[in-house]
Amino acid sequence: MTELNRRKFLTYVGTGVTALTVASTGLGALTPKVEAKGKEAANELFGFNKKVSGLNFKPIAPTSKDDVVLPQGYKYDVVAAYGDVINAKGDTFGFNNDFTLYFPINNSNTRGLLWVNHEYSSDLFVHGARGADGKYTPSQIEKMLYNQGGSIIEVYRDGKEGTWKMDTSSKYARRITGLTPFSLTGPARGSKTVNSATDVQGTFANCSGGMTLWNTVLSAEENFEYTAKDAGLNDTHYGWIIEVDPFDPNFKVRKHTALGRFNHENAAMGLTNDGRVVVYMGDDKKDACVYKFISKNKYVASRGKANSDLLEEGTLYVANMGKGTWVPLTVETVRKAATDKKNNAALEKFQTQADVVVFCHEAALLVGGTPTDRPEDVEISPFDKTVFIAHTNNDSHGNFHGHITRFIEAKSDLGSLTFDFEIFAAGGKQSGFSAPDNLTFDSYGNLWTVTDMSSSKLNQGIYTHFANNGMFVIPTMGKDAGEAYQFASAPIEAELTGPSFTPDETTLFLAVQHPGEESENLNNLTSKWPHRKGDTMPRPGVVAITGFKK
């Protein structure tokens, strides 16, 4: 059988299919590899005569064990957990880690930088409760802001022990927090809508993210309203997609306002057939929309990180699923819709493009964007350029278990303004999973998804069947397409987030977020993961899973 290695895979799909997806998510090693030569190979990859059969692990059963449970033959190492020192300066790993992304150092699969998002803080475990006046003290706010944002850590696999560890002597390791100065780019920069700001304080509520074609991180600010209010910050400065270069502290960290302001889950980047950059995004709240941004200018690889300016000018679109069209979110389109609907309040509100991107959700509904069931992670298939969207759930619509939607862009062009779609997989007892959240692909046509059932509902009522949150592998090709197989289970009241592979597929990084979240106090802990000797506090952390075969 011919091995479909990463180099051949990228050659087959070519520049028309986003190589970025493969580069950023890594390549998994769970199914027999696609056997194909020449034209047959290209045909299989593009949807003809596809064949993927079997999985090389025995799926686990749902469990409520307070541990990361894996199939036989796999193990995990805790690489970093809340409070761990990450560098010589004494910076510490933040709280409630989410998205992870591995960047090889010198093309190594055993040493690299790991970007990790930190989504939100905790009264019980981090900064303490509000005072009698209902407010946090300045020191509490500072601690809250510090423990959100992102961590850049250096990780390596010890050759003797085969164990993944953190290198705290790293020259790269640092924190990006709610205290870090950021620059605004795009139409909202300096506008009245953001109080004339060109630079803002910090990033927080960082959920998932993505990788650029020029090797930087895109991180998504999601439920920013809470921290902004508690910290007394202008909330129009948050809810953006941020960009960071993990290798270069001199790269000015920035927020790209052209991509819109809403409850961002992630950012998946690809290329149109004519070479422009596309970014797909979900808005993680009930009755919210799916978006994509298309740059005005084309990507030029030789420009390197200067390509970042492609995210400053272009057109933002919202999906109208009833018509299968991408509707432009320009001030002209929004004002026309307001005029047609005789909506004088909207005409008053939306006078510039800055107004449109800052109040993006409202503008999207005005022009006909389809409200959906919490569109979280969006990922581009590196095999056929279809776009997968995790709609986590929406109990107000009776959609308690969510589903995964697949967009098929016209002519397989990410730049198309028309599409069709299907429900690729539906959560529920019949499928074995509920509330799909983060997604990633491997090179075997498998879609990996983690689940996000509310910690307050786990192991109760209609969620009893699923036990703890978990991770599932769903083939997208062959006879098992759409079938979910459980690969991992999370500790008590935790969710697994941010899956990312090393390029050679031998390690999977995974975040364990909010274990023991329902604990009433430090004397009544519901979880004690990661079960460190002498430490009973549940700590969010990142694990490295090994056992994959080359």
Side-chain angles (χ1 to χ4, degrees), residues 1-5 8 12 32-37:
M1 178 173 285
T2 301
E3 176 173 317
L4 181 63
N5 64 29
K8 288 182 181 177
Y12 288 151
K33 310 194 180 213
V34 178
E35 180 178 21
K37 295 180 180 179

Side-chain angles (χ1 to χ4, degrees), residues 62 389-393 399-405 423-439 447-453 462-463 465-475 481-488:
I389 304 162
H391 285 97
T392 297
N393 54 33
N399 185 2
F400 294 96
H401 299 302
H403 58 274
I404 299 173
T405 306
I423 304 301
F424 171 71
K429 188 173 182 180
Q430 81 290 340
S431 62
F433 71 89
S434 176
D437 189 344
N438 297 154
L439 306 172
L447 180 68
W448 295 62
T449 183
V450 289
T451 63
D452 183 16
M453 294 176 286
I462 62 171
Y463 301 97
H465 172 78
F466 309 100
N468 290 354
N469 276 305
M471 182 176 202
F472 296 80
V473 183
I474 310 177
E483 295 292 321
Y485 302 90
Q486 187 163 359
F487 178 78

Side-chain angles (χ1 to χ4, degrees), residues 92-239:
T92 55
F93 195 71
F95 198 71
N96 273 343
N97 34 242
D98 199 304
F99 176 64
T100 75
L101 188 57
Y102 177 80
F103 291 82
I105 294 177
N106 297 325
N107 298 313
S108 173
N109 291 292
T110 58
R111 181 176 286 271
L113 298 185
L114 194 69
W115 167 272
V116 184
N117 275 3
H118 297 292
E119 188 170 0
Y120 60 99
S121 189
S122 164
D123 282 9
L124 179 61
F125 298 122
V126 180
H127 48 67
R130 302 169 192 271
D133 59 358
K135 297 180 179 180
Y136 295 109
T137 66
S139 63
Q140 285 177 303
I141 292 171
E142 183 177 1
K143 199 167 187 181
M144 177 192 303
L145 294 173
Y146 178 81
N147 282 290
Q148 297 183 54
S151 288
I152 300 164
I153 60 175
E154 186 167 334
V155 297
Y156 68 99
R157 191 171 185 178
D158 186 288
K160 294 181 180 179
E161 301 176 12
T163 300
W164 278 92
K165 300 176 180 179
M166 177 169 54
D167 184 350
T168 57
S169 68
S170 172
K171 65 180 181 180
Y172 299 109
R174 59 191 168 105
R175 288 294 316 280
I176 304 294
T177 75
L179 304 167
T180 305
F182 275 77
S183 174
L184 295 182
T185 77
R189 175 180 170 85
S191 71
K192 281 200 247 178
T193 325
V194 295
N195 200 29
S196 302
T198 57
D199 294 281
V200 299
Q201 176 189 315
T203 184
F204 42 75
N206 302 80
C207 192
S208 189
M211 184 179 183
T212 67
L213 289 161
W214 44 95
N215 212 40
T216 59
V217 172
L218 297 178
S219 177
E221 298 177 337
E222 190 190 32
N223 295 312
F224 58 90
E225 300 93 342
Y226 306 108
T227 299
K229 183 178 180 180
D230 287 334
L233 296 169
N234 184 331
D235 68 1
T236 67
H237 297 176
Y238 309 95

Side-chain angles (χ1 to χ4, degrees), residues 122 124-125 455 492-493 514-528 536-538:
S122 164
L124 179 61
F125 298 122
S455 56
I492 291 173
E493 293 163 5
H514 59 69
E517 186 172 45
E518 299 300 313
S519 298
E520 293 182 3
N521 55 61
L522 295 177
N523 296 316
N524 294 281
L525 298 170
T526 56
S527 171
K528 296 182 180 180
T536 61
M537 176 179 160

Side-chain angles (χ1 to χ4, degrees), residues 6-46:
R6 184 171 185 271
R7 185 183 297 272
K8 288 182 181 177
F9 174 65
L10 295 179
T11 300
Y12 288 151
V13 298
T15 57
V17 176
T18 174
L20 168 72
T21 306
V22 185
S24 64
T25 63
L27 308 172
L30 293 181
T31 60
K33 310 194 180 213
V34 178
E35 180 178 21
K37 295 180 180 179
K39 253 184 203 177
E40 285 181 26
N43 284 343
E44 288 181 4
L45 289 170
F46 283 95

